[in-house]
Amino acid sequence: MNAPINPPKLYDCRDAFAATLERLAAENETIVAVCNDSVGSSKLGGFKSKFPDRLVNVGIAEQNMVGVGAGLANGGRLPFVCAAAPFLTGRSLEQIKADISYSNANVKLVGISSGMAYGELGPTHHSIEDFAWTRVLPNLPVIAPCDRIETAAAVAWAATYDGPCFLRLSRVGVPDLLPEGHKFELGKANLLRQGSQVTLIANGTLTHRILKAAEILAGRGIDARVLNLATVRPIDEEAIIAAAKETGAIVTAEEHSIFGGLGSAVAEVVVDNAPVPMKRLGVPGVYAPTGSAEFLLDEFGMAPSAIADAAESLIRRK
């Protein structure tokens, strides 16, 4: 099959995060950035140049970094704490629980290069447990934007939200999916495609893949609904229940373990309110091997064609 003549342009969501943070910091002098020797990977170079006295680099000491963020918040600052997602969450989970979630500190946690974005660096650098670790904590909204537009909107929302949150950002290029000027609304799904036979649900880097899967299904005569569920907690129960009742089958896809992540969150809503056949696509409870993020997603059955096949198979169970 020939590639599209004009494939969509791909964007790194970290760029949208950095540009938005710099704009907000120019308007709000309480905004500070805290990082773990990750100025480059967090795209904070511009912030450092413009606001050198408002960037705190604690070095490779993530537990201390989260504590510094909490202290800055207690002192009236608005900290965005940035680090590679596996180390921000896994290494600092106790501090996130006690200093951020339990204390309801006004700290914005930003997990960079989430999922399997660091694919070639192997399982130690894969962040495929972070949804499970963070969404269980009270007071902590968990958000995974699908494109640069939603990223910018979510960062702007976070700066006005009175409380902690976790933003999960990949470095893998994704196309624009939402319209310019989109306003982020916590806990609300985006309906990207209407459909009546099955619902495909994803967030982050998987959203554009399920849209492609819906196009493949349309070619097979199957009408698929597509939901971008950027907010994993609080989750949009109304949209999920409507999808279950109106389409009768749900497929979730995520750059995360199938245990405890987006699929689990959706399944909890479905089983309590409108049980229908479901299929959760993700990493099946193993450590992902070394390889590019694109290769690993395909390897674990999340190529658009594989997502379409899973949906078609699920429909037969209805």
Side-chain angles (χ1 to χ4, degrees):
M1 182 177 180
N2 294 329
I5 296 175
N6 294 307
K9 186 174 181 179
L10 303 181
Y11 298 93
D12 185 336
C13 291
R14 296 177 301 166
D15 292 324
F17 159 71
T20 305
L21 187 63
E22 290 170 30
R23 175 180 62 80
L24 294 170
E27 301 168 356
N28 182 352
E29 64 181 12
T30 68
I31 289 178
V32 295
V34 185
C35 70
N36 63 335
D37 203 22
S38 60
V39 172
S41 60
S42 297
K43 299 280 188 172
L44 292 173
F47 189 99
K48 180 180 179 180
S49 297
K50 295 175 182 177
F51 315 103
D53 59 342
R54 290 158 62 184
L55 174 69
V56 182
N57 187 347
V58 304
I60 303 175
E62 290 81 5
Q63 294 171 334
N64 183 45
M65 176 185 66
V66 172
V68 167
L72 287 166
N74 288 339
R77 298 287 185 166
L78 181 57
F80 282 75
V81 176
C82 310
F87 310 127
L88 172 62
T89 56
R91 191 170 293 165
S92 311
L93 189 58
E94 180 184 357
Q95 285 71 29
I96 293 173
K97 175 184 176 180
D99 298 345
I100 307 299
S101 170
Y102 177 71
S103 301
N104 201 28
N106 192 23
V107 175
K108 319 307 172 180
L109 302 169
V110 186
I112 302 292
S113 303
S114 58
M116 295 177 288
Y118 279 136
E120 291 88 352
L121 297 180
T124 59
H125 284 61
H126 298 162
S127 191
I128 56 174
E129 309 88 5
D130 52 344
F131 279 155
W133 288 337
T134 55
R135 80 177 184 91
V136 74
L137 297 175
N139 303 321
L140 188 69
V142 177
I143 302 159
C146 70
D147 66 3
R148 67 180 179 98
I149 296 168
E150 189 168 38
T151 298
V155 173
W157 167 85
T160 64
Y161 177 69
D162 185 17
C165 65
F166 173 58
L167 297 174
R168 186 190 204 245
L169 307 180
S170 180
R171 67 194 296 141
V172 176
V174 291
D176 286 345
L177 301 176
L178 297 174
E180 292 284 357
H182 169 76
K183 300 296 183 183
F184 178 80
E185 188 174 355
L186 182 68
K188 291 297 181 182
N190 305 124
L191 177 63
L192 301 184
R193 183 179 181 128
Q194 189 56 270
S196 61
Q197 293 176 273
V198 64
T199 299
L200 310 181
I201 299 177
N203 58 24
T205 57
L206 267 296
T207 306
H208 78 99
R209 285 182 171 238
I210 63 170
L211 271 170
K212 290 180 180 178
E215 293 173 3
I216 293 170
L217 288 168
R220 301 176 185 176
I222 296 173
D223 190 26
R225 181 176 303 186
V226 175
L227 290 179
N228 169 48
L229 215 59
T231 307
V232 179
R233 178 173 180 164
I235 204 161
D236 191 340
E237 294 191 3
E238 183 178 348
I240 295 168
I241 294 169
K245 290 181 176 180
E246 294 167 10
T247 70
I250 293 176
V251 176
T252 59
E254 58 191 309
E255 196 175 5
H256 188 276
S257 169
I258 61 171
F259 298 104
L262 174 67
S264 294
V266 171
E268 290 162 11
V269 176
V270 170
V271 74
D272 282 347
N273 297 279
V276 295
M278 272 193 67
K279 177 65 177 177
R280 292 172 297 131
L281 300 176
V283 182
V286 300
Y287 290 111
T290 300
S292 71
E294 296 290 334
F295 165 79
L296 292 171
L297 289 173
D298 290 350
E299 185 73 5
F300 286 117
M302 287 177 283
S305 59
I307 296 171
D309 290 344
E312 187 171 8
S313 176
L314 190 65
I315 288 172
R316 299 193 191 105
R317 292 171 49 194
K318 291 171 60 175

